[in-house]
Amino acid sequence: LRPPLPRPAAQPHPVRRHKLRPDSTCCGGRLLLVPSLVLLYDVIGALASGMSICFFPIFFLRELRLSPVAVCAISLAASLAVVLGGGVAVALAKRLGRVPAVAVLRLGGCACFLLMTWIFQSGREYSQMASTRAEHSPEHAFGRTLVGSLFTAGSDGSDAPPEPAHSARTLLILVAYLLRTTLMNCTGGVTKSILHDLVPPDQRARYAAVDTISTGTWAGSAALGGFLIDRYGIAATFHVTAVAQAVALFPLLLAHMAGLVP
């Protein structure tokens, strides 16, 4: 009897690699399709952000009655948080992939934005009642400490502080704002790396020039945001901005699900 023939060794499962098809172009063949989807994500996100970002200082001054010093301190804290969040975005991109990491972080930012708006809306009526009661009840007033005057001075220059519940609600709004700003802006380096990997080196200047469109869209979207605020209020504008920022992820996710972007 002949010994049985050895079975062939199992072939390893082929690893699917993401390859960019060189024939996929748009804009009359001037731009590659997949990098253009990434640029479209940037442009839509910039349009959405411009509707509200320019009005955050006014929101802090008028609605939350923060002092100008407090508004500047919040802006500085947000910038530092974005720098720290960039490292978290890179670490998350190594674990989940770049596009899934961007989607998770930015959707989390949209959720924080909606949470901030909900806290503001739910407390507006109570704030009006508390302000009226504080005007007639001196025992509800805070002492004029340095910290109290820093974070409770009115935008009109008055030092009349809000109720303690209002201060707690303001703190929650500021925390949600810092989380929203960090999650939405810490992904910039990851998306830029995606764009550079997809674009040939000799065409990167062209795409960089196209990417500057997102900066110029801020003026137009800010005008739209001002119109929405005058017509429907700042809370409705925040809702529209959050939804538009979530929709901006669609071109990037479409390219990822098609296997064109890792």
Side-chain angles (χ1 to χ4, degrees):
L1 297 177
R2 295 181 179 180
L5 297 177
R7 295 182 178 181
Q11 297 294 330
H13 185 72
V15 179
R16 183 182 179 184
R17 298 184 180 275
H18 304 282
K19 294 183 179 180
L20 176 65
R21 293 177 298 179
D23 56 341
S24 301
T25 60
C26 63
C27 300
R30 296 183 179 88
L31 298 176
L32 296 174
L33 176 61
V34 180
S36 299
L37 291 176
V38 180
L39 290 177
L40 182 61
Y41 150 79
D42 283 335
V43 172
I44 297 177
L47 281 170
S49 299
M51 288 189 293
S52 296
I53 298 302
C54 299
F55 301 101
F56 273 130
I58 302 176
F59 171 73
F60 293 146
L61 290 170
R62 292 188 177 181
E63 302 294 341
L64 302 186
R65 294 194 296 168
L66 300 180
S67 68
V69 176
V71 174
C72 294
I74 293 168
S75 300
L76 177 60
S79 300
L80 295 177
V82 170
V83 173
L84 297 177
V88 177
V90 172
L92 189 62
K94 293 180 180 179
R95 180 177 295 270
L96 301 179
R98 287 181 289 184
V99 173
V102 170
V104 169
L105 292 173
R106 290 187 69 92
L107 288 176
C110 294
C112 291
F113 202 0
L114 293 175
L115 176 63
M116 183 192 79
T117 308
W118 177 79
I119 296 173
F120 167 69
Q121 284 184 301
S122 63
R124 173 177 282 182
E125 182 177 355
Y126 177 82
S127 298
Q128 294 175 352
M129 296 173 58
S131 299
T132 303
R133 188 167 64 250
E135 293 177 358
H136 298 86
S137 302
E139 64 272 11
H140 289 286
F142 287 167
R144 294 188 179 183
T145 61
L146 176 62
V147 177
S149 62
L150 178 66
F151 286 95
T152 60
S155 60
D156 56 353
S158 62
D159 292 331
E163 287 287 326
H166 177 76
S167 298
R169 186 167 52 254
T170 299
L171 181 61
L172 291 177
I173 292 175
L174 295 180
V175 171
Y177 167 77
L178 291 176
L179 288 175
R180 176 259 164 211
T181 303
T182 302
L183 295 176
M184 293 299 296
N185 297 326
C186 70
T187 59
V190 178
T191 55
K192 295 299 181 184
S193 67
I194 295 175
L195 187 61
H196 288 173
D197 289 347
L198 295 175
V199 177
D202 59 338
Q203 299 184 17
R204 287 177 181 173
R206 177 186 304 175
Y207 287 88
V210 176
D211 193 27
T212 56
I213 297 176
S214 60
T215 305
T217 55
W218 276 64
S221 60
L224 176 60
F227 170 78
L228 293 176
I229 291 174
D230 290 338
R231 189 72 179 271
Y232 303 104
I234 195 167
T237 305
F238 285 171
H239 284 134
V240 173
T241 301
V243 172
Q245 287 174 336
V247 172
L249 289 168
F250 179 75
L252 194 62
L253 293 175
L254 179 63
H256 177 70
M257 290 186 295
L260 301 174
V261 178

